């Protein structure tokens, strides 16, 4: 069922860390030798980032950051998108801004000149089993603050998508909350990705407030939801969130995706596969889901769109789609 959309410039505006992804394929012995914890995202300091960057063989470079990856997927599906982020006026920053524009997303903040920190980058090591181990130097992204949020841009968002990692810095939290308020006051919907269980652990009270009092939708995986409510019972965690959050979305690697909106509960099956590269699976699930949500489609269709987008991105190296996802939706009668 469709409802008439809002008359906004942007279907989706994202706010998050603007990070250049640097990817290389390495085996488990390399990870052990370099002291890299497999399968998670770790924040690293500048010196450590330089060491890891220098150790990467046959590295590939791409614009990244969780929300930015989602926006790229949405742009390729035909949505009008904009990204609120912060990069330095250096080679990586200019590469990032240009690459976002080439993918069809307005990068609304110009690269910052002067003596600022360098552009953020994440060294991602992809294992033979497809797991990715991310080592992220936040750089200038950590300085994103409320002054970087254009009220004109946030007010022109039909949907705002927020990155939970922003809560790691007070200025980022302030930027996040300003953008959400402006969007919602102008009639838009605001939602958050919980980002990872460690991020949830660091900001549990703040995230509970967002889930239970502020957000129109929240996307998280099973570990994130259970971390939020400090329980091993996923059903209990989701039930608690759904009591107050209008739309709760839960992914669960290899297990059905769950979507809960009031009394409506939907499960979307997934096909278990060994990923070539799991980088971006959650980001592209969010893109597919938001593509349906932005058209006011039925909850089951939104979930299925997310599953299809996630399956595509784990079939190749890199966090952004390489095939025509919209054609896949049409082939299944979804679009």
């Amino acid at each position: 069922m469709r409802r008439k959309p809002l008359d906004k410039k942007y279907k989706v505006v994202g706010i998050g860390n603007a990070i250049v992804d640097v990817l290389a394929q390495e085996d488990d012995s390399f990870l052990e030798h370099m002291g890299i914890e497999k399968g998670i995202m770790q924040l690293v300091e500048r010196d450590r980032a330089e060491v890891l960057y220098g150790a990467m063989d046959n590295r590939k470079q791409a614009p990244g950051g969780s929300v930015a990856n989602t926006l790229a997927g949405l742009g390729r599906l035909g949505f009008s998108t904009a990204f609120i982020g912060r990069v330095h006026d250096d080679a990586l920053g200019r590469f990032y801004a240009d690459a976002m524009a080439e993918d069809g997303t307005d990068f609304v903040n110009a690269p910052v000149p002067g003596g600022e920190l360098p552009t953020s980058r994440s060294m991602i090591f992809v294992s033979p089993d497809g797991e990715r181990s991310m080592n992220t130097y936040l750089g200038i992204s950590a300085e994103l603050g409320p002054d970087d949020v254009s009220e004109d841009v946030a007010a022109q968002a039909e949907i705002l998508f927020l990155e939970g990692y922003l809560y790691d810095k007070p200025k980022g939290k302030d930027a996040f909350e300003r953008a959400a308020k402006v969007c919602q006051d102008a009639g838009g919907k605001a939602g958050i990705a919980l980002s990872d269980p460690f991020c949830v652990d660091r900001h549990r009270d703040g995230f509970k407030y967002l889930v239970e009092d502020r957000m129109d939708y929240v996307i998280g995986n099973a570990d994130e939801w259970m971390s939020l409510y400090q329980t091993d019972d996923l059903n209990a965690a989701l039930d608690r969130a759904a009591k107050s959050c209008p739309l709760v979305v839960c992914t669960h690697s290899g297990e059905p995706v769950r979507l809960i909106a009031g009394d409506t509960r939907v499960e979307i099956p997934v096909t278990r596969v060994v990923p070539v590269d799991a980088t971006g699976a959650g980001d592209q699930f969010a893109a597919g889901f938001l593509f349906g949500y932005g058209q006011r489609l039925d909850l089951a269709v939104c979930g299925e769109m997310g599953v299809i987008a996630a399956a595509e991105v784990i079939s190749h190296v890199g966090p952004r789609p390489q095939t025509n996802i919209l054609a896949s939706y049409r082939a299944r009668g979804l679009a």
Side-chain angles (χ1 to χ4, degrees):
M1 180 178 67
R2 295 175 185 263
R3 294 189 299 276
K4 185 178 179 180
L6 299 174
D7 184 18
K8 300 282 189 180
K9 180 177 180 180
Y10 298 112
K11 268 290 190 178
V12 181
V13 171
I15 177 170
N17 289 311
I19 299 173
V20 177
D21 286 341
V22 186
L23 296 98
Q25 293 181 302
E26 300 288 356
D27 60 20
D28 288 356
S29 62
F30 174 89
L31 300 181
E32 184 176 354
H33 174 71
M34 296 299 295
I36 297 168
E37 189 168 349
K38 183 176 179 179
I40 69 166
M41 192 286 287
Q42 302 178 86
L43 295 177
V44 298
E45 298 299 324
R46 188 170 181 174
D47 290 348
R48 172 68 167 165
E50 291 174 355
V51 168
L52 293 176
Y53 183 84
M56 302 178 89
D57 290 326
N58 300 315
R59 54 183 177 252
K60 296 181 180 180
Q61 183 173 291
S66 179
V67 165
N69 288 335
T70 297
L71 293 175
L74 285 165
R76 294 182 189 184
L77 287 167
F79 268 12
S80 55
T81 59
F83 181 57
I84 299 170
R86 190 174 177 88
V87 298
H88 185 52
D89 189 14
D90 53 18
L92 283 180
R94 291 187 292 273
F95 161 79
Y96 191 96
D98 291 344
M100 290 296 291
E102 288 172 5
D103 274 340
T105 293
D106 287 351
F107 191 77
V108 297
N109 297 329
V112 179
E116 295 273 355
L117 293 169
T119 296
S120 310
R121 71 288 313 266
S122 182
M123 280 60 65
I124 302 173
F125 298 91
V126 183
S127 307
D129 61 1
E131 279 290 347
R132 83 278 197 216
S133 307
M134 305 171 68
N135 300 264
T136 302
Y137 168 61
L138 286 179
I140 197 172
S141 277
E143 299 302 309
L144 182 75
D147 290 344
D148 296 303
V149 176
S150 164
E151 290 199 5
D152 289 341
V153 173
Q156 283 298 316
E158 186 173 327
I159 299 168
L160 186 71
F161 188 41
L162 305 158
E163 185 174 306
Y165 287 128
L166 287 181
Y167 254 56
D168 279 329
K169 295 286 184 178
K171 288 172 68 174
K173 176 182 176 181
D174 292 343
F176 182 115
E177 295 186 349
R178 178 182 180 185
K181 184 178 188 306
V182 171
C183 173
Q184 290 173 323
D185 285 351
K189 302 288 189 182
I192 180 178
L194 294 178
S195 292
D196 78 23
F198 300 101
C199 186
V200 173
D201 287 342
R202 294 191 293 271
H203 308 292
R204 182 169 289 107
D205 289 343
F207 280 7
K208 281 183 180 178
Y209 163 69
L210 292 171
V211 170
E212 297 173 2
D213 293 295
R214 291 287 287 115
M215 296 290 97
D216 298 293
Y217 67 93
V218 179
I219 303 173
N221 65 32
D223 290 338
E224 291 157 3
W225 283 114
M226 289 188 289
S227 173
L228 183 65
Y229 291 108
Q230 296 177 283
T231 178
D232 293 329
D233 186 337
L234 178 59
N235 290 327
L238 296 179
D239 286 346
R240 183 167 172 185
K243 286 180 180 178
S244 49
C245 184
L247 176 53
V248 171
V249 182
C250 177
T251 62
H252 194 180
S253 182
E255 301 295 331
V257 172
R258 303 188 196 186
L259 303 97
I260 307 172
D263 294 332
T264 302
R265 293 176 177 249
V266 174
E267 289 194 3
I268 308 298
V270 301
T271 301
R272 287 178 175 267
V273 297
V274 176
V276 173
D277 173 17
T279 309
D283 305 338
Q284 294 312 318
F285 171 85
F289 165 78
L290 290 172
F291 183 65
Y293 182 68
Q295 298 177 81
R296 277 65 167 179
L297 300 182
D298 289 342
L299 209 55
V301 175
C302 297
E304 190 172 352
M305 285 179 162
V307 167
I308 291 168
E312 190 279 341
V313 82
I314 67 173
S315 69
H316 56 75
V317 174
R320 300 186 174 188
Q322 294 181 359
T323 63
N324 189 332
I325 303 296
L326 188 57
S328 297
Y329 293 162
R330 286 173 175 155
R332 291 166 173 79
L334 300 177

